[in-house]
Amino acid sequence: MSDATPILHMLSPQKHMSPFDVNMAADAGYKVIIPYINVTLEEVTPLVQDAIFSRPPDYGVRTGFFIGGKDAILALDMMEAARKALVPPFQLSVFADPAGSFTTAAAMVACVERVLRFKFGRGWKGTRIAVFGATGVVGFASSIITALEGAQVRLVAHRGVERVIKSAAVSKERFGVDLEAVAGETEDQKRQIIEDAEVIFAAAAAGVQVISKEQKAFAKNLLVAADVNAVPPPGVEGMELFMNGEPLPDCNALGVGPLAIGDIKYKTESGLFKQMLASDEALSLDFRHAFALARQLVA
C-alpha cells in the first residue's frame, strides 16, 4: 500500500457537511479532510477527476470521497457518478452515508437479526416486517436490506400512500426487491398492519411516536420492535434507550432501542472509513457493505 497522506473529500448537496461525519473520519485516521457543500450531481465528475489526476495512480487507495446529505437516491446517484468518473489506472474509494442513515439502518437490521436468531432461532427469510418512517433514508435502506435477505416488507404511509409507492418502485428498479406500500393513516389501517407484523422498524423523524401503548396491545404476532429515535417521546411507547432484546412493556415482543443501535452504527461508520484506509484496492461502500460489517460487529 502507498504511504501517501490519506485525504478525504466530503461532498454534501446541502449547505453544511455533518460535523458528526467529519469527526468520524478524523478519528478513523484521515489526515486531510476537505468538505464541499451545495454540491450538485453534475459537479461530482469534475471533482473526482481533479482528485485522481493530481496524485500518482498508487496514491489512489489513499484518496477517498464521502457522500453525505439527506437524500438516499441522490447519494447513490453521486456514488455512481464518482465510479464512472474514474479513469484507470487512476482510482479512489467512495463511501455513501447520507445523514448517517445507511449505517444506522444497517445497525438496526443487524441488531434485530441478532435478537431473532438468539431468542427465536430464525432469520429474515419470510419474516413479516412493517417499516414506519418508510420514506426516510433509514426506512428506505432498512427495507431494502431485509428484502434482499428474503423478508416480506411493508412500507407504511402515514400521510398519503403515493410517496411510499414511489419509494417501492425505486427500490424494485434499483435493487430488484418487491416492497409492499400500505396506507397507515387511520387507526383501523394501522391496527391491521401492527397485528400482522412480526418485526416493526420505527424509523420516523426524531420525537415522533408511531406506536402507542394501546396499539402494542394489537401486536399478537410481534417478535421484535426496533426504534432509532432517541429524542422523547420514543417512536415506540415504552422503548428504553439501551434495550437490546429485553421485553417491551405492554406486549409480548422484545425491544431494540436507539442507543443499542447507535453503538453499532458508530462502530460501523468508523469501521468503513478504516476499511477504506486499509484497503489495497479502491472501494465503493453503501448500505449493503454497512450491513455486512454491522453483522460482524453484533455477532
Side-chain angles (χ1 to χ4, degrees):
M1 177 191 293
S2 168
D3 59 0
T5 300
I7 299 175
L8 183 67
H9 303 275
M10 305 186 78
L11 311 186
S12 173
Q14 297 182 295
K15 67 178 182 178
H16 298 297
M17 171 55 66
S18 164
F20 185 103
D21 296 324
V22 174
N23 291 351
M24 292 289 289
D27 288 343
Y30 278 98
K31 301 303 182 185
V32 179
I33 300 171
I34 307 95
Y36 305 75
I37 60 171
N38 297 317
V39 178
T40 66
L41 178 60
E42 293 73 24
E43 291 172 320
V44 173
T45 294
L47 287 170
V48 167
Q49 292 182 346
D50 254 10
I52 59 174
F53 292 139
S54 64
R55 311 189 88 184
D58 65 332
Y59 281 28
V61 293
R62 307 294 275 170
T63 310
F65 266 62
F66 176 85
I67 299 170
K70 292 189 176 181
D71 185 322
I73 301 302
L74 179 56
L76 293 170
D77 286 344
M78 285 183 159
M79 189 174 184
E80 181 62 19
R83 284 198 295 257
K84 289 180 177 179
L86 299 178
V87 181
F90 297 93
Q91 61 182 335
L92 51 74
S93 292
V94 186
F95 172 21
D97 194 16
S101 297
F102 282 179
T103 47
T104 298
M108 177 172 66
V109 175
C111 287
V112 173
E113 181 181 62
R114 178 181 179 277
V115 176
L116 285 174
R117 180 170 294 129
F118 285 99
K119 300 291 187 177
F120 302 102
R122 58 186 292 177
W124 289 116
K125 190 170 182 61
T127 297
R128 301 189 303 276
I129 303 173
V131 181
F132 292 84
T135 56
V137 186
V138 174
F140 173 85
S142 59
S143 65
I144 295 171
I145 292 169
T146 48
L148 287 169
E149 293 295 315
Q152 299 173 20
V153 184
R154 306 179 88 183
L155 307 179
V156 183
H158 73 281
R159 189 174 62 248
V161 76
E162 292 78 15
R163 289 177 63 205
V164 179
I165 291 173
K166 181 180 179 182
S167 183
V170 168
S171 300
K172 175 68 172 178
E173 178 184 355
R174 285 179 174 260
F175 302 100
V177 295
D178 292 307
L179 308 176
E180 182 185 0
V182 295
E185 299 171 74
T186 69
E187 278 301 311
D188 284 345
Q189 290 170 338
K190 206 167 182 180
R191 176 174 180 167
Q192 291 175 12
I193 294 165
I194 294 170
E195 282 181 340
D196 182 66
E198 294 175 306
V199 169
I200 286 176
F201 292 155
V208 176
Q209 187 171 97
V210 293
I211 307 292
S212 68
K213 174 182 176 180
E214 292 74 22
Q215 290 165 337
K216 280 190 295 182
F218 306 141
K220 304 302 183 185
N221 296 299
L222 187 62
L223 302 175
V224 186
D227 185 0
V228 297
N229 178 20
V231 178
V236 178
E237 187 171 0
M239 183 73 73
E240 296 180 7
L241 295 175
F242 290 96
M243 275 186 171
N244 198 4
E246 290 78 32
L248 190 61
D250 307 306
C251 67
N252 295 321
L254 305 179
V256 176
L259 294 192
I261 294 167
D263 176 61
I264 299 301
K265 177 268 186 298
Y266 176 90
K267 293 173 181 175
T268 299
E269 183 171 349
S270 177
L272 291 178
F273 278 129
K274 290 174 181 177
Q275 282 185 15
M276 289 168 62
L277 285 166
S279 178
D280 291 326
E281 298 179 354
L283 303 178
S284 294
L285 306 172
D286 61 22
F287 55 82
R288 291 164 291 188
H289 307 88
F291 177 54
L293 179 55
R295 256 181 167 168
Q296 296 176 28
L297 292 168
V298 302

